[in-house]
Amino acid sequence: SSDVCSSDLMDMAMRGWQYLAAGDLDDAMRRFNQAWLLNKKNGTALWGMAAIQASSGKYDDSLKLFAEAERFVGSEINFSVDYARTVGMAGVERKDDGLIKEAFHRFERIYQKAPQHTKNLQNWATTLFGIGRYSDAWEKVKLAEATPNKDELDPRFLAALQSRMPRPQN
């Protein structure tokens, strides 16, 4: 596939992300698959496929794809955030303490590198919420609310957390 230049591969993967953002999972998966078939080391395509599997609740497939993609894009902060989120979601759904512990480890590592990453803090709070640790979830929300991108916080999540435990006053 030396006749396909790397900008074509990136373009295919980018179109995959556009389809994914628009909620068109089938076309997104097709684009990511095409990009990956042309270059088996295309971590962005693997990441996209992993994100689609996660959004469909197919955690086994998703986690395998994330692990494979990590070899190529592991240093990308938003990749790390997506991966940690998926590990947390899988852990909560399966009530798997090992996965939950791994998710918390990943959230913490990301926080050390990027303490202002709103989505990481929200994902951390969501995982805490999922295992019933509501006051800890509020602590992460409080940190997220102090970030420049605090408007990225999901109001539905905040309402769900509020319904389980009113926001602490301190």
Side-chain angles (χ1 to χ4, degrees):
S1 63
S2 55
D3 56 336
V4 178
C5 75
S6 62
S7 66
D8 289 342
L9 293 174
M10 282 311 293
D11 189 45
M12 234 175 266
M14 290 314 300
R15 280 203 297 265
W17 287 109
Q18 289 164 352
Y19 282 121
L20 182 58
D24 185 345
L25 300 185
D26 291 340
D27 281 331
M29 185 60 98
R30 252 191 303 285
R31 293 296 180 187
F32 290 133
N33 266 314
Q34 287 171 338
W36 179 76
L37 286 168
L38 292 168
N39 175 5
K40 302 283 197 232
K41 292 184 168 103
N42 188 326
T44 304
L46 289 164
W47 171 12
M49 290 188 278
I52 291 170
Q53 297 298 341
S55 69
S56 306
K58 298 176 183 159
Y59 295 118
D60 284 340
D61 295 338
S62 179
L63 292 173
K64 277 185 208 133
L65 288 162
F66 269 118
E68 194 177 336
E70 191 169 36
R71 300 189 347 241
F72 308 111
V73 291
S75 61
E76 217 293 337
I77 191 79
N78 292 314
F79 168 81
S80 299
V81 169
D82 276 1
Y83 194 176
R85 175 178 169 266
T86 301
V87 172
M89 287 170 22
V92 167
E93 179 160 302
R94 296 179 178 163
K95 297 177 179 29
D96 181 324
D97 291 339
L99 282 175
I100 290 167
K101 193 173 169 186
E102 180 187 341
F104 289 151
H105 181 69
R106 287 177 178 275
F107 295 138
E108 179 64 41
R109 260 201 334 250
I110 295 163
Y111 181 68
Q112 294 306 320
K113 278 190 235 162
Q116 298 289 305
H117 202 294
T118 311
K119 291 281 191 215
N120 182 58
L121 291 164
Q122 176 174 284
N123 296 339
W124 200 346
T126 305
T127 302
L128 288 161
F129 172 87
I131 60 170
R133 289 174 51 189
Y134 307 127
S135 66
D136 293 337
W138 276 120
E139 284 178 31
K140 301 307 176 200
V141 166
K142 200 168 158 186
L143 289 172
E145 288 173 339
T147 65
N149 295 322
K150 62 182 176 282
D151 55 337
E152 290 177 0
L153 282 166
D154 182 348
R156 294 165 309 195
F157 166 65
L158 297 176
L161 181 54
Q162 179 73 28
S163 76
R164 294 292 171 90
M165 179 189 166
R167 178 187 290 268
Q169 294 310 306
N170 52 6

